[in-house]
Amino acid sequence: MFRELTLHDEKFLARITGSSVSQIRAYLNEPVSTPAFAEHLRNAREEFHKVAITSADLHARKVLFQYAAVRALRPECILETGIANGVSSSYLLLALQKNGCGHLHSIGLADPAFLPAGKQPGWLVPQWLRNSWQIHLGDAREILSPLLTRLQHVNVFIHDSLHTYDHMLWEFEAAYPYLNSGDLLCTDDALWNNAFNDFARKAGTPEARILHGVGFLRKIS
Ligand SMILES: C[S@@+](CC[C@H](N)C(=O)[O-])C[C@H]1O[C@@H](n2cnc3c(N)ncnc32)[C@H](O)[C@@H]1O
C-alpha cells in the first residue's frame, strides 16, 4: 500500500533506527493490516465526516514514518506536543502496543478550533490503546520543561504543536538535552520555516533529513 518513500529515504529511516529497509517497509504497512486499527480508522473517518472535519488526515504519511521509527527503535518514552483529535497519538500508541513496551506522553491545548464540538483532545484514540498514554493538557511553553525535568530521559521527541519558527526552535532546544545519543527528534511540518534546518545545523548531527515534510534528527554525541 505504501510506496511513496524513495529507497534513499527508506535507507535513511533504517539507518537512524538501526533497522533494515525491508523491516521499515513492513512496519509502514502494519497499521492498515491490523484489523482492529483499520476498523477504527474507518469508524473515525465516518465520525469526521459527520462533524465536517476535513483537516485531519487519518492515513497521513507523516504519521506512518513516525510509526515505523517507533516500531524499529522500541522506545521506552515518547513525548509529543500537539494532540488535536489524536491521530498521531493513535498510531504511536499502536506502535507501542505492538512493541509490548513503552509509554507516550502527549502535551496539547484543548483548542476548540481543532476539535469537533464537545470533544476533548485525543478523543479519537480507542480505549484499547490508552493504557500506555498520559495526556498533559496545557500550553507547551508552560508544561514542556517541567515534564521533561520529571521524565529525565525521552527516547523520541515529536513536535506537532505551534509551527512558528520561534516556538519550534524553543521546543527543540528544550527537549534535546533530554535525548541520549541514538535517540530521535522529529517534527511535523518541517518545511514551514527553517527552524528544523537551523536546529539540525547547530546540533551538528549528520543524521538529519526531512521526509515528505517530516523532520527526523538522530542525536549523535
Ligand atoms: C497540527 S495539530 C496536532 C495534530 C495531531 N498531532 C494529530 O496528528 O492529530 C496542532 C495542535 O497543537 C495544539 N497547540 C498549538 N499551540 C500549542 C501550544 N503552545 N502548546 C500545546 N499545544 C498547542 C493545537 O491546539 C492543536 O491541537
Side-chain angles (χ1 to χ4, degrees), residues 4 125 203:
E4 277 199 23
V125 177

Side-chain angles (χ1 to χ4, degrees), residues 6 32 37 42 86 96 112 137 143 151 155 173-174 188 198 217:
T6 63
V32 286
F37 196 73
R42 276 194 298 278
L96 293 182
L137 287 186
I143 62 178
L151 296 174
N155 307 93
E173 284 174 349
D188 194 23
D198 287 353
L217 184 157

Side-chain angles (χ1 to χ4, degrees), residues 48 56-57 60 62-63 66 80-89 107-115 121 124 136-143 158-163 167 171 188-189 192:
F48 276 139
D57 183 355
K62 59 173 194 175
V63 183
Q66 291 166 13
E80 69 166 350
T81 63
I83 305 173
N85 299 286
V87 177
S88 55
S89 308
I107 290 178
L109 290 173
D111 181 354
F114 287 82
L115 299 168
L124 195 75
H136 308 266
L137 287 186
D139 190 331
R141 273 274 174 189
E142 285 161 20
I143 62 178
I158 301 170
H159 160 87
D160 192 14
S161 61
L162 180 63
H163 300 311
H167 186 82
E171 282 198 9
D188 194 23
D189 299 316
W192 284 19

Side-chain angles (χ1 to χ4, degrees), residues 201-217:
R201 203 171 307 115
K202 202 168 139 195
T205 170
E207 303 284 35
R209 190 172 298 179
I210 299 175
L211 311 181
H212 292 265
V214 186
F216 284 89
L217 184 157

Side-chain angles (χ1 to χ4, degrees), residues 15-93:
R15 192 173 64 247
I16 63 167
T17 58
S19 189
S20 66
V21 166
S22 59
Q23 192 61 73
I24 291 293
R25 283 182 191 159
Y27 288 146
L28 289 168
N29 280 313
E30 223 171 46
V32 286
S33 319
T34 301
F37 196 73
E39 188 189 342
H40 179 66
L41 292 180
R42 276 194 298 278
N43 295 339
R45 193 180 308 118
E46 282 169 26
E47 206 47 38
F48 276 139
H49 195 68
K50 271 189 246 158
V51 292
I53 285 198
T54 52
S55 58
D57 183 355
L58 291 166
H59 296 276
R61 278 122 186 81
K62 59 173 194 175
V63 183
L64 280 172
F65 301 158
Q66 291 166 13
Y67 176 91
V70 167
R71 285 288 278 131
L73 274 177
R74 302 177 59 80
E76 269 307 316
C77 182
I78 306 173
L79 173 51
E80 69 166 350
T81 63
I83 305 173
N85 299 286
V87 177
S88 55
S89 308
S90 300
Y91 278 86
L92 295 169
L93 287 164

